[in-house]
Amino acid sequence: MREELYNQQVLAMYDVRGIQNYIFKSNAAKEIIGASVLVEAIITDGLNAYIKNNAKNQEQYLTDWKNDDPKVFLENPEIEMQVMFVGGGNAYVLFRRGEECRNVNRFLAKYVLERTYSLNLAVAVVKKTNAYDHDYAEINEEMRRIKAFMPSTQPTGALPFMEADSITGYPLTRFEEKTKTYYCTEAYLKRKSFPRNENEKIFDNMVTEKGDNSTLAVCHIDGNSMGIRIRNEMQNVTAYEEAIPKMRGLSQEISAVFGNTFINMTKYMDELTPKVKENIKTRLYRKIVVAGDDITFVCNAKLAIPAVRYFLEHLGGEGEDDVIYSACGGIAYFNSHFPFSDAYQVAEACCDTAKSRAKKEENRGKSGFVGNFFDYQICTNIRAADLEEYRDRHYSSDQGTIIARPYFVSGVEDEEEFKNKNGKYSIEKLIYWSKYFTMYMPRNKAKHLRNVIPMGTNELEKEISFLESRGYTELTDHSGMKEAATLNDDEYRIWYDALEIMDLYVEESSHEDNN
């Protein structure tokens, strides 16, 4: 921080980098869940620790931004520090003196290091003026600059004469008497934060049947156009007196809408659980991150699409003035031997492809509205994280791509015109064919059709003719391919999507049968 700011009021912005990768670095449930608990509120926890250990008058330092007076820093010169708001994973804090901000920054950097061992704290500081819009734009630009030039430093790895952790490469430093196992410092800190009331085999208990169907799914959901919405809401707000309560309200509204939808989604998963696994006493899902519009959870594979579909269908209409919300999701299916970190990267990449389709001009609604889309991928290779290249290699035939995803999910406030515009991508088509192949076609014939589709047009047409001769006329009746010479219809791509996950299909309980 520049020395000329020491005796001036400043606005600071804090961002802990690489949280998701930090959480999913390990394959051990105890470390993943422990890490998610560890980082859940690490910045505000660090600020509270600083106040407890260093503040002479703790009443002059305010961190309860959801409940305290938003104007107290502006009106009371005795207040040294106030958290303005926390949103988008970042904390914005006002300081009476830049020198105190420097002290906090040093403490927080050490605090994050000691609590996590490998996470990095990015800090941007600008002089506070009377114009909030100017300061907000300047500090975000400063943070972008800092991140662009900030080295991604990591702790020193193990030297040649040290035992090293097989995942992180960090030296083994701790011995756990209970398991008779050595751990690196990072793994030890994560395990130390694992909730005492949880089962260490929580992920093992989620699978449908160990050894036979042990597939899990990591699901990542991210809100659409949140930054644009905030800019639109705040574009005419210049004074701090008006900006602080408004930004707090926006941040809390977003958290409430996404958080409440997540809670309702888990209740829906509880309803579906008996269809997935009978006589189960534990939940088949676990929250990893629920922070604002950023949602990540792990669940039994059969719950993934129903859960994400439910979330997207019910998101929105709960905010102030019935503001419409939308989001995109990504699902990565993986077996227990597949690295969690790579599975999460696949889920994130799927979310990105969903957003790409959602944001295309021809798929947008009125005023550029972006709808709900989701994508999924079965992880059979760690290279699947490079999703575009992986699909070019494994999902192509002489007809081009053989998959139709990402899919559109209609939200609670979507207009009919918008639904019709994206009807060709509708999740209803995937559910229709998933049900057909699972419930009305023998497994061996369904698997053979799945294997034929990548072979190209000629083989697919022969297979369709064969199945039609055996009474499976739905393939041509529904898709309009009575003249099976061209296969111009995209229906067979949806077939492949449905066939690929036919072992993961579970009939949903609260959606009407459209057949």
Side-chain angles (χ1 to χ4, degrees), residues 215-254:
T215 309
L216 293 173
V218 57
C219 306
H220 177 63
I221 298 172
D222 188 48
N224 290 331
S225 308
M226 290 295 106
I228 294 174
R229 189 204 156 194
I230 290 172
R231 283 198 297 273
N232 291 339
E233 291 276 352
M234 301 296 296
Q235 61 183 349
N236 296 319
V237 180
T238 58
Y240 272 89
E241 289 82 358
E242 183 183 355
I244 295 177
K246 192 170 183 67
M247 280 300 301
R248 286 184 172 188
L250 283 170
S251 183
Q252 291 186 67
E253 180 188 307
I254 292 168

Side-chain angles (χ1 to χ4, degrees), residues 17 28 72 75 121 125 127-128 167-168 235-236 238 241-242 317 324 330 337 364 381 411 437 440 448-449 453 467 508:
R17 305 181 67 191
V72 66
E75 298 174 349
L121 178 69
V125 182
K127 177 184 176 182
K128 178 189 173 296
I167 295 176
T168 64
Q235 61 183 349
N236 296 319
T238 58
E241 289 82 358
E242 183 183 355
I324 299 175
H337 66 274
R364 289 175 178 257
N381 189 311
F437 291 128
Y440 302 112
H448 192 262
L449 176 60
I453 290 175
L467 289 171
E508 300 180 55

Side-chain angles (χ1 to χ4, degrees), residues 436-502:
Y436 178 79
F437 291 128
T438 306
M439 303 176 70
Y440 302 112
M441 181 179 283
R443 179 178 172 80
N444 64 328
K445 287 184 171 58
K447 288 180 67 176
H448 192 262
L449 176 60
R450 180 194 64 191
N451 295 336
V452 164
I453 290 175
M455 296 180 183
T457 304
N458 294 333
E459 293 301 317
L460 179 55
E461 288 176 349
K462 286 191 289 185
E463 182 64 17
I464 291 171
S465 298
F466 168 76
L467 289 171
E468 188 174 22
S469 71
R470 295 299 187 270
Y472 299 100
T473 57
E474 183 72 11
L475 294 172
T476 49
D477 289 344
H478 185 82
S479 62
M481 292 194 299
K482 284 291 186 183
E483 302 295 330
T486 59
L487 285 179
N488 288 327
D489 197 294
D490 282 342
E491 207 78 18
Y492 75 94
R493 296 187 172 98
I494 305 174
W495 297 349
Y496 191 86
D497 285 345
L499 289 163
E500 192 177 35
I501 57 169
M502 61 182 175

Side-chain angles (χ1 to χ4, degrees), residues 44-59 61-63 81 100 104 107 111 115:
T44 51
D45 287 347
L47 291 172
N48 287 326
Y50 174 85
I51 295 167
K52 181 179 179 180
N53 294 309
N54 298 280
K56 294 179 181 179
N57 188 346
Q58 296 185 14
E59 294 180 355
Y61 295 77
L62 306 176
T63 60
M81 182 197 85
E100 183 67 351
V104 169
F107 180 91
Y111 180 89
R115 295 302 184 281

Side-chain angles (χ1 to χ4, degrees), residues 146-208:
I146 287 172
K147 285 184 175 181
F149 294 99
M150 181 179 178
S152 182
T153 55
Q154 293 293 317
T156 304
L159 297 175
F161 54 84
M162 297 177 178
E163 285 288 339
D165 181 86
S166 59
I167 295 176
T168 64
Y170 299 148
L172 301 181
T173 57
R174 303 276 184 165
F175 179 73
E176 191 175 90
E177 189 66 36
K178 183 180 178 180
T179 60
K180 304 296 182 184
T181 306
Y182 284 95
Y183 298 103
C184 66
T185 302
E186 181 182 289
Y188 169 78
L189 292 172
K190 291 177 178 178
R191 288 171 175 269
K192 186 179 177 182
S193 297
F194 183 79
R196 294 183 179 180
N197 61 341
E198 289 208 47
N199 190 328
E200 295 182 21
K201 295 184 178 181
I202 183 171
F203 292 154
D204 291 335
N205 295 334
M206 285 182 189
V207 301
T208 304

